[in-house]
Amino acid sequence: MMSVMGGASSSSALRLQRKAEALLATADIRLNGDRPWDLQVHDPRVFARVFAQGSLGFGEAYMDGWWDAERLDELFYRVLDARLDRRLAWGQKIARWALGHLVNLQTGRRAYQVGEKHYDRGNDLFEQMLDKRMIYSCGYWKDADTLDTAQEAKLDLACRKLGLEPGMRLLDIGCGWGGMARYAAERYGVSVVGITVSREQAEYARRACAGLPVEIRVEDYRAHRGEYDRIVSIGMFEHVGHRNYRTYMRTARRLLKADGRFLLHSIGGNVSLTRTDPWIEKYIFPNGMIPSARQIGRAVERLFVIEDWHNFGADYDPTLMAGSVNFERAWPKLKDKYGDRFRRMWRFSLMCSAPPFRARRDQLFQVLLSPEGVAGGLRVPR
């Protein structure tokens, strides 16, 4: 007699459940336990799905309502801390590795896919979730106690590191909804050109920066022409792809004056990868990947001097958790448009993104670069 577990026998189903229980126990997670991070199973098919498909099956099963946890972030943190993610779906990982090496997933038209699939979802969603300036990247919580103050502190830190002065021309690669461009123009008196691959972002940014010396373009960074005193890129390098890191840096060098500075703000991984998590790639950030320090270093070699390398990756945890609180609070305003499956998908995304920073698997790098080296060096703000 066959069980509901995709045609597996009842004995096979029980064997998979026991295997799952044993694995989860090493992370101090119980099936149907009473602690906030314990995994509550609603459909026994979840075990076969996860062992066959790894993180993709785990995420899709959550979206389908097959399991829950009161504190998803704590569950994910324990999974990562116990390295359980490295023990599932090896065949899938090998296939992803091969594809990442053989195919350039961020070339030509594909560069715009992340704008169409992610950033163009709806400005109403991001307005509710983000801070008042619509900054969709890690805040700087050194002296901050709210998401708004953490994001403003991050923007000001970037401007001070760049040494912005009135009259300078600033290029913002991956300008998002225009928060950095507006801040730099208002507070530091610079003119800004911002580029993005999202039409929704561009329209919003143009409205936000109206009346300021700011131009917003929908454009791939490789196609851009011009010369700038300073370049900033906040939260965009994660969409470039390992096959294009060197091209990206060559482009930045071509656009920057010889005495200029370039600030790269990017999530960074502890190891060099060529593909992202399959669930994240399918539902959140198509074609993206997180660079390692080694990959960044190789990309800038002989093009830039590294003036400063600042890691405040632990600050991404409170940034994402604050965004999650905002999203859940705003859900009654959003539910009719987006629906419950989207809510579970978005919640899963936020909650699985924070724990890698908490576990120190992922970092946040601000790398300050100059073409020839600043004479006498720089005393970089913190």
Side-chain angles (χ1 to χ4, degrees):
M1 182 175 180
M2 308 305 287
S3 78
V4 294
M5 295 190 61
S9 67
S10 57
S11 60
S12 175
L14 183 58
R15 185 166 60 251
L16 288 174
Q17 179 174 334
R18 288 174 175 170
K19 182 179 179 181
E21 287 176 329
L23 282 171
L24 291 171
T26 66
D28 191 27
I29 299 169
R30 301 170 191 156
L31 292 181
N32 302 317
D34 57 4
R35 299 169 301 176
W37 60 86
D38 286 334
L39 196 151
Q40 310 300 317
V41 176
H42 306 310
D43 191 316
R45 292 176 295 174
V46 67
F47 305 113
R49 194 171 185 178
V50 172
F51 282 117
Q53 299 178 338
S55 64
L56 179 61
F58 195 50
E60 289 184 334
Y62 180 79
M63 291 167 62
D64 291 338
W66 289 15
W67 66 272
D68 274 298
E70 181 182 342
R71 285 290 304 274
L72 281 174
D73 61 310
E74 274 299 303
L75 183 148
F76 289 128
Y77 171 75
R78 290 168 185 272
V79 166
L80 291 175
D81 198 47
R83 304 296 193 265
L84 297 191
D85 58 311
R86 298 177 180 176
R87 300 166 69 175
L88 296 172
W90 282 105
Q92 186 183 76
K93 291 179 181 180
I94 292 170
R96 286 168 47 227
W97 178 90
L99 183 61
H101 273 77
L102 295 172
V103 180
N104 186 350
L105 297 174
Q106 294 81 13
T107 189
R109 177 62 189 157
R110 296 183 69 96
Y112 290 84
Q113 287 182 351
V114 69
E116 295 163 356
K117 186 167 183 177
H118 186 82
Y119 296 108
D120 290 349
R121 287 183 188 274
N123 287 334
D124 56 343
L125 168 66
F126 294 105
E127 280 180 310
Q128 295 296 328
M129 186 181 76
L130 303 178
D131 67 302
K132 65 183 181 181
R133 289 188 172 86
M134 296 274 282
I135 306 300
Y136 196 24
S137 53
C138 182
Y140 190 50
W141 292 82
K142 179 174 176 286
D143 299 310
D145 56 6
T146 68
L147 185 59
D148 282 344
T149 56
Q151 293 294 12
E152 180 170 333
K154 185 266 297 297
L155 296 181
D156 200 64
L157 180 68
C159 291
R160 288 185 290 125
K161 286 180 178 180
L162 285 165
L164 294 183
E165 296 177 1
M168 285 183 172
R169 294 190 75 224
L170 172 68
L171 174 64
D172 185 353
I173 302 177
C175 64
W177 291 274
M180 175 64 181
R182 179 175 178 175
Y183 187 88
E186 286 181 333
R187 301 292 182 92
Y188 286 85
V190 300
S191 62
V192 187
V193 174
I195 58 176
T196 174
V197 294
S198 165
R199 297 190 182 280
E200 289 289 328
Q201 283 188 334
E203 290 178 9
Y204 187 100
R206 288 173 186 134
R207 292 193 299 270
C209 298
L212 295 169
V214 175
E215 179 186 358
I216 304 295
R217 304 181 189 177
V218 178
E219 187 177 43
D220 180 64
Y221 68 93
R222 287 163 287 203
H224 192 69
R225 298 293 181 268
E227 187 178 54
Y228 296 89
D229 300 290
R230 301 289 190 265
I231 298 176
V232 67
S233 185
I234 297 178
M236 181 271 179
F237 197 61
E238 300 90 332
H239 302 306
V240 168
H242 75 105
R243 294 174 67 92
N244 302 306
Y245 292 154
R246 186 68 172 174
T247 297
Y248 179 92
M249 293 300 174
R250 285 196 181 108
T251 301
R253 179 64 188 87
R254 169 174 59 79
L255 297 168
L256 188 64
K257 291 181 178 180
D259 61 350
R261 299 182 201 173
F262 170 31
L263 183 70
L264 179 73
H265 174 114
S266 175
I267 296 172
N270 291 347
V271 297
S272 298
L273 301 174
T274 60
R275 291 298 301 275
T276 192
D277 174 86
W279 186 87
I280 292 291
E281 182 170 44
K282 181 175 180 179
Y283 290 99
I284 308 299
F285 293 121
N287 308 323
M289 64 188 67
I290 295 174
S292 68
R294 179 185 181 186
Q295 288 169 323
I296 294 173
R298 292 182 66 181
V300 305
E301 189 173 341
R302 297 187 180 181
L303 293 173
F304 291 104
V305 172
I306 299 175
E307 299 287 354
D308 184 66
W309 195 302
H310 185 185
N311 180 3
F312 52 96
D315 285 15
Y316 226 140
D317 185 5
T319 302
L320 288 161
M321 296 306 293
S324 175
V325 170
N326 288 346
F327 172 69
E328 296 294 347
R329 183 185 297 127
W331 182 247
K333 303 175 186 177
L334 301 169
K335 64 180 182 179
D336 290 341
K337 177 179 178 180
Y338 291 96
D340 189 61
R341 195 167 193 268
F342 178 91
R343 181 187 191 182
R344 293 180 70 87
M345 179 192 75
W346 205 254
R347 178 190 291 157
F348 188 90
S349 173
L350 291 168
M351 291 295 96
C352 76
S353 296
F357 296 98
R358 194 177 305 171
R360 302 313 310 276
R361 291 272 203 99
D362 286 343
Q363 315 302 327
L364 190 286
F365 298 144
Q366 276 197 353
V367 187
L368 184 61
L369 306 167
S370 68
E372 306 294 342
V374 176
L378 287 172
R379 300 292 180 264
V380 180
R382 286 289 187 267

